[in-house]
Amino acid sequence: MTKCTRRSFLKISGVATAGVSVAATMPEQFLSWAESQEELKQVPTFCELCFWNCGLIAKVANGKVIKVDGNPLSERGRGRLCGRGNAALGSLYDPDRLKHPMINSGKRGEPKWKKASWDEALGLIARKLETIKEKHGPEAVALFSHGTGGAFWKHLLKAYGSSNYTAPSFAQCRGPRDVGFTLTFGAEVGSPEFYDFSESRYIVLLGSHLGENAHNSQVQDIIKGLDKGAKLCVVDPRLSNIAAKADHWLAIRPATDLALLLAWIRIIVTEELYDADYLKAYATGLPELKAAVQEYTPEWAEKETEIPAETIVRVAFELASRKPNVIISGGRFSAWYGDDAQRSRAIALLNALLGAWGRPGGIYLPAGGGVPEYPGLPEYPEHREDLPKLDAAYPFAAAQTTTSIRNAAISGQPHAMKGWLVYGCNLIKTMPDRTETIKAIRNLDLLVAIDILPADIIQWADVVLPECTYLERHDTLSLGKFKQFEVSLRQPAVEPMWESKPSWWITRELAKKMGLDAYFPWKDGEEYLRTRCEAGGIDFTELKQKGVISSAAKSAPYITPLNQPEFATPSGKIELYSNQLSEKGLDPVPKYTRHPQPTDGFLRVLYGRSPLHTFSRTTNNFMVTDLIPENYLWVNSKTALKLGLTNGQYVRLENRTGFKSPGTIKVRYTQRLREDCVYMVHGFGIHSREMTRANNRGIGDEEMLAGYTVDPLMGGTGMRHNFVKIVKEG
Ligand SMILES: Nc1nc2c(c(=O)[nH]1)N[C@H]1C(S)=C(S)[C@@H](COP(=O)(O)OP(=O)(O)OC[C@H]3O[C@@H](n4cnc5c(=O)[nH]c(N)nc54)[C@H](O)[C@@H]3O)O[C@H]1N2
Ligand SMILES: Nc1nc2c(c(=O)[nH]1)N[C@H]1C(S)=C(S)[C@@H](COP(=O)(O)OP(=O)(O)OC[C@H]3O[C@@H](n4cnc5c(=O)[nH]c(N)nc54)[C@H](O)[C@@H]3O)O[C@H]1N2
Ligand code: SF4
Ligand SMILES: [Mo]
């Protein structure tokens, strides 16, 4: 940790000359520090307001964080933070935070909270977990997790004897994409993605709204690429911020992207626009692919997508003319329509045909690297081999799906499911079909929520454990595979407030109560991290000082005669035609099927991200709610006029089952959206009175969802068949 004086800080930050107007917006802590002669402590750590995990430096005075800045050493942010990252103080100093453990003495879902000591709360959880293990076996307990601290909970779960670890960020998010790419290349595109945007010469984005999706370094990279002359084609029913910068905006009819992709593949294979040498060296199945896509002509695709055939052809030729320095990306969130792994595979096929994998401006080959786990821990107990797999129906479920855990809790099939540990997940809002989620929760013997806020999920918990925020804790390391391998450290800038605690502590104390101490030998968070770093040859003192350490050697990010790629597919090659799929009775080349479109005055709900919010994580954060307090309903102006809506008017939504939204949402006229859709950002529509700024603000897209379609390959849940009517108030 380095220190700077008040004077040098004022000079660096420009505050000394900025005068009264800046002072008026400065937090109180800052002003009192500026008045004092205190030295400013600088603590490098990393952000958790989303999972990009940008390095940041917390400026601390009088025991309070007064400001955060980007850490220039971090490849994830390169000295910058996004709008959410800058709102760190709004998370840390949120007066609505969970302050002490709580036990529900009422019914599940109608909580009567009793303040509890840690000893009492953890004792109760330990007893219940023991009982579940005795009655049903350890597999009857599952962990849902999102965020860095989840690693300690996963470790606890495995030590307890269960492997039922799941996350909405798989089957409700990027799982379909990862499976589509793995089937094709034998590897995922990574997280952070290995997109070499800054060197690209042609970029196609389908339903990826980078910029609003504020993944820090990736936004910087795409802007760099565009500055250097890359062409950009954005496929989106809405003119997103990035579409506004594009050479082509293709306002596709929603749910028809696969038609467009197959037409592009057909043009590229029939006109032989592909990278022939590359395919010869690295791919198999070109003739089979060619034969399989013949029906997908541009004229056919025009009818499905409403994109003119000549535009489809033009983009294909432009794109191919810039191969192999191209990226075709379908975004990160890919659980759209139920055929999502196949749509993602079509995207992977296009990248393959144009030779983008392992090429400059394409998908680079990431640096290797890792840090060993804490040495000397006992082996996890063996899992029972005879138990039926929860995801047996999905041959390519690369991770456990949330829905099969939910189904098991409802039906007891294929085995009992009685306890849920929910870490940093707001399942009420992030799993499709709330009724099913609640049905499952009612069947449990125990639901523990580990959170920082009284979010919607808290209302369904038996025991609530308050984690301290990322600025108050040590956590596991964040490892990044970029062109260099990078290790980031989280360390506390200030002491945990109230009775909140970090996960390394909570899990250790809980483990002790279950006789699992041997798995948690660390004295404290720092000792845990130091030991792992030492085992991995990383200078922990340097890491503490810098926050981020990158490997000295650069990897070889591109294919050269001496740097040949490996593809972990059964054939060892890029699989343009997939025997793995045909062996399971699935389409070896993606096939188009038509999805329902809204009729009878219904409009499709499109959803995405606000650049200043992360789902429901920030909807109560006073630093961003000042700017964006609620979500808006984008309505095409023509549609709005037809429906007699005025700009700024509050409306309700009604879905296909007749369900009316509990909350209201403000209409926003726009010409940046197709007439058959409405658009809103996800995360609002919180119903928790204790979240005073978020409660009942706006509507959640998930509240209106009447059904979802399941991906037969990997169990992802397509959540974009969401049709609504607009209901005027009064
Ligand atoms: N309908 C619909 N469903 C969706 C999406 C959508 O857009 N629409 N998005 C999907 C996507 S892309 C994803 S990735 C998933 C995400 O879904 P989830 O995995 O459920 O995650 P979040 O919504 O990030 O979870 C937010 C919870 O984490 C808590 N939290 C915040 N910080 C911390 C912390 O430091 N520690 C702890 N313990 N808790 C914390 C918040 O208070 C909140 O309760 O949802 C998916 N589901
Ligand atoms: N600021 C901010 N950034 C975030 C997050 C956040 O919460 N806030 N969350 C992070 C997470 S976990 C994820 S997964 C990513 C998600 O970010 P992205 O992967 O970029 O994607 P989405 O949220 O799916 O994309 C929304 C876009 O898809 C368009 N769309 C809707 N339907 C269709 C369709 O049928 N076809 C096409 N072509 N487009 C369609 C919408 O109009 C919208 O512009 O963002 C990450 N970044
Ligand atoms: S992108 Fe923004 S919110 Fe996400 S980690 Fe980086 S600074 Fe934090
Ligand atoms: Mo996500």
Side-chain angles (χ1 to χ4, degrees):
M1 287 175 215
T2 48
K3 290 193 171 183
C4 84
T5 63
R6 179 178 69 102
R7 185 178 302 260
S8 67
F9 176 77
L10 292 176
K11 212 164 138 200
I12 297 161
S13 61
V15 172
T17 51
V20 181
S21 61
V22 173
T25 64
M26 283 285 158
E28 238 170 72
Q29 299 99 304
F30 177 83
L31 287 179
S32 66
W33 168 73
E35 293 301 315
S36 78
Q37 292 300 316
E38 273 278 315
E39 282 209 322
L40 188 65
K41 198 168 81 176
Q42 306 205 47
V43 185
T45 183
F46 65 86
C47 182
E48 185 84 358
L49 287 176
C50 86
F51 308 103
W52 210 249
N53 289 170
C54 300
L56 67 81
I57 298 175
K59 314 284 164 89
V60 183
N62 304 323
K64 291 257 163 87
V65 180
I66 58 167
K67 189 175 188 296
V68 294
D69 283 317
N71 183 346
L73 298 174
S74 161
E75 179 57 20
R76 296 159 188 268
R78 305 175 193 137
R80 297 180 188 182
L81 299 173
C82 78
R84 298 164 294 161
N86 272 304
L89 275 63
S91 175
L92 174 61
Y93 296 119
D94 188 337
D96 293 340
R97 270 178 56 183
L98 295 171
K99 299 181 179 67
H100 40 73
M102 298 191 298
I103 294 173
N104 178 11
S105 62
K107 281 198 214 139
R108 194 172 293 134
E110 294 162 40
K112 286 196 189 120
W113 293 121
K114 189 173 118 289
K115 183 176 167 181
S117 67
W118 277 100
D119 189 53
E120 193 183 357
L122 296 179
L124 176 65
I125 297 169
R127 282 197 302 281
K128 291 218 168 187
L129 288 176
E130 291 298 349
T131 310
I132 293 173
K133 196 192 261 186
E134 273 160 32
K135 276 202 200 157
H136 309 282
E139 305 79 8
V141 174
L143 166 69
F144 296 75
S145 144
H146 202 195
T148 314
F152 292 103
W153 290 92
K154 189 177 178 182
H155 177 59
L156 178 71
L157 185 83
K158 285 181 167 174
Y160 169 80
S162 170
S163 55
N164 283 319
Y165 165 81
T166 187
S169 53
F170 175 70
Q172 281 70 51
C173 174
R174 65 192 176 90
R177 177 191 75 179
D178 294 345
V179 170
F181 270 75
T182 303
L183 283 165
T184 312
F185 292 105
E188 302 175 359
V189 286
S191 171
E193 289 84 3
F194 313 137
Y195 296 147
D196 202 17
F197 280 133
S198 58
E199 305 300 323
S200 297
R201 297 172 63 226
Y202 206 107
I203 299 164
V204 178
L205 301 178
L206 299 108
S208 157
H209 59 338
L210 257 184
E212 286 153 286
N213 158 359
H215 283 164
N216 193 341
S217 51
Q218 204 167 71
V219 181
Q220 297 180 37
D221 283 344
I222 199 164
I223 296 304
K224 235 186 259 169
L226 297 180
D227 264 358
K228 284 161 66 178
K231 284 214 179 281
L232 174 66
C233 170
V234 175
V235 184
D236 196 313
R238 179 180 72 98
L239 186 79
S240 60
N241 290 2
I242 193 75
K245 300 193 190 314
D247 298 278
H248 302 284
W249 169 40
L250 311 187
I252 194 165
R253 175 155 60 167
T256 66
D257 291 68
L258 187 51
L260 173 65
L261 290 161
L262 290 167
W264 276 339
I265 291 174
R266 183 183 183 278
I267 297 165
I268 287 167
V269 295
T270 53
E271 302 291 334
E272 300 188 358
L273 301 176
Y274 45 77
D275 187 334
D277 293 341
Y278 180 93
L279 294 185
K280 205 168 149 210
Y282 304 121
T284 118
L286 183 59
E288 292 89 343
L289 172 65
K290 196 167 179 175
V293 294
Q294 283 312 307
E295 61 189 287
Y296 304 122
T297 64
E299 293 70 29
W300 166 83
E302 171 174 336
K303 290 199 193 100
E304 294 299 316
T305 61
E306 298 180 355
I307 300 166
E310 59 192 62
T311 308
I312 297 176
V313 174
R314 189 169 155 201
V315 172
F317 272 84
E318 280 181 15
L319 174 62
S321 76
R322 295 193 169 208
K323 71 173 177 288
N325 317 108
V326 302
I327 294 174
I328 301 96
S329 161
R332 181 184 184 89
F333 175 74
S334 50
W336 297 6
Y337 302 109
D339 55 358
D340 305 307
Q342 289 284 17
R343 185 188 64 257
S344 304
R345 197 167 125 70
I347 292 170
L349 291 175
L350 269 177
N351 283 292
L353 289 169
L354 298 171
W357 187 275
R359 307 299 268 285
I363 298 160
Y364 65 78
L365 309 173
V371 179
E373 290 303 325
Y374 195 94
L377 297 181
E379 296 273 318
Y380 293 124
E382 300 244 335
H383 299 303
R384 273 177 55 190
E385 291 297 328
D386 58 322
L387 272 184
K389 287 232 169 357
L390 294 182
D391 274 324
Y394 313 117
F396 300 99
Q400 180 72 66
T401 67
T402 51
T403 37
S404 60
I405 300 236
R406 183 173 74 183
N407 291 342
I410 293 172
S411 66
Q413 296 301 325
H415 62 70
M417 182 56 65
K418 288 293 175 187
W420 284 7
L421 308 174
V422 184
Y423 176 90
C425 292
N426 200 1
L427 299 180
I428 300 296
K429 296 187 73 60
T430 56
M431 285 186 72
D433 200 335
R434 183 172 292 184
T435 317
E436 290 280 290
T437 306
I438 289 172
K439 208 197 267 177
I441 291 175
R442 287 196 195 282
N443 269 356
L444 298 174
D445 291 345
L446 175 68
L447 193 153
V448 180
I450 308 103
D451 209 296
I452 60 169
L453 283 166
D456 313 61
I457 184 69
I458 301 306
Q459 317 307 320
W460 294 93
D462 304 322
V463 188
V464 174
L465 303 179
E467 185 168 44
C468 53
T469 67
Y470 64 101
L471 288 165
E472 304 162 289
R473 68 189 197 225
H474 285 105
D475 231 321
T476 194
L477 297 163
S478 173
L479 309 179
K481 294 188 173 179
F482 302 93
K483 289 179 189 172
Q484 278 171 290
F485 176 68
E486 177 181 284
V487 180
S488 310
L489 175 74
R490 174 167 287 146
Q491 56 188 335
V494 288
E495 289 293 307
M497 290 167 70
W498 303 292
E499 288 170 42
S500 63
K501 293 280 186 190
S503 276
W504 66 258
W505 183 91
I506 308 174
T507 50
R508 188 192 65 185
E509 296 307 303
L510 184 51
K512 275 187 200 161
K513 292 195 185 294
M514 295 193 290
L516 300 171
D517 329 26
Y519 292 90
F520 292 81
W522 39 87
K523 189 175 111 261
D524 56 31
E526 181 163 324
E527 195 259 324
Y528 162 83
L529 289 160
R530 182 190 297 280
T531 309
R532 280 188 64 195
C533 284
E534 280 167 4
I538 293 165
D539 183 338
F540 187 67
T541 312
E542 184 188 345
L543 184 61
K544 264 180 75 172
Q545 244 163 30
K546 292 184 171 170
V548 180
I549 292 185
S550 303
S551 58
K554 280 213 173 185
S555 74
Y558 308 131
I559 296 176
T560 64
L562 289 179
N563 186 40
Q564 288 296 300
E566 280 171 20
F567 299 102
T569 55
S571 63
K573 298 205 159 202
I574 301 171
E575 301 200 336
L576 302 179
Y577 179 94
S578 173
N579 286 322
Q580 284 195 80
L581 285 169
S582 63
E583 277 159 18
K584 299 281 180 201
L586 297 159
D587 298 330
V589 170
K591 268 195 189 136
Y592 184 72
T593 46
R594 199 172 273 164
H595 295 301
Q597 293 292 339
T599 52
D600 304 333
F602 279 89
L603 299 161
R604 185 189 293 270
V605 179
L606 307 182
Y607 52 84
R609 311 284 173 234
S610 159
L612 282 185
H613 282 286
T614 304
F615 322 110
S616 59
R617 285 176 177 251
T618 49
T619 41
N620 207 59
N621 180 315
F622 56 82
M623 287 178 82
V624 285
T625 50
D626 269 5
L627 299 166
I628 303 185
E630 61 195 65
N631 59 354
Y632 308 103
L633 187 72
W634 294 38
V635 188
N636 179 289
S637 311
K638 277 192 198 158
T639 310
L641 285 173
K642 232 187 274 168
L643 297 174
L645 302 171
T646 40
N647 197 26
Q649 154 181 26
Y650 279 97
V651 294
R652 282 183 205 275
L653 301 179
E654 185 179 320
N655 77 6
R656 279 180 301 168
T657 67
F659 172 79
K660 254 194 219 152
S661 62
T664 58
I665 189 167
K666 214 179 203 178
V667 169
R668 176 175 161 179
Y669 270 43
T670 184
Q671 289 172 10
R672 292 172 53 181
L673 180 69
R674 286 173 57 103
E675 288 170 46
D676 51 1
C677 305
V678 291
Y679 174 78
M680 62 171 81
V681 296
H682 175 70
F684 287 91
I686 299 249
H687 305 294
S688 163
R689 263 175 306 163
E690 292 79 24
M691 301 228 335
T692 52
R693 276 172 305 282
N695 187 35
N696 282 332
R697 294 284 194 139
I699 292 176
D701 53 277
E702 76 287 346
E703 297 184 283
M704 306 318 298
L705 191 59
Y708 62 95
T709 39
V710 179
D711 193 310
L713 274 64
M714 46 65 69
T717 56
M719 301 182 287
R720 284 191 163 162
H721 300 289
N722 196 351
F723 305 145
V724 296
K725 277 188 171 160
I726 298 176
V727 186
K728 286 188 259 185
E729 283 275 77

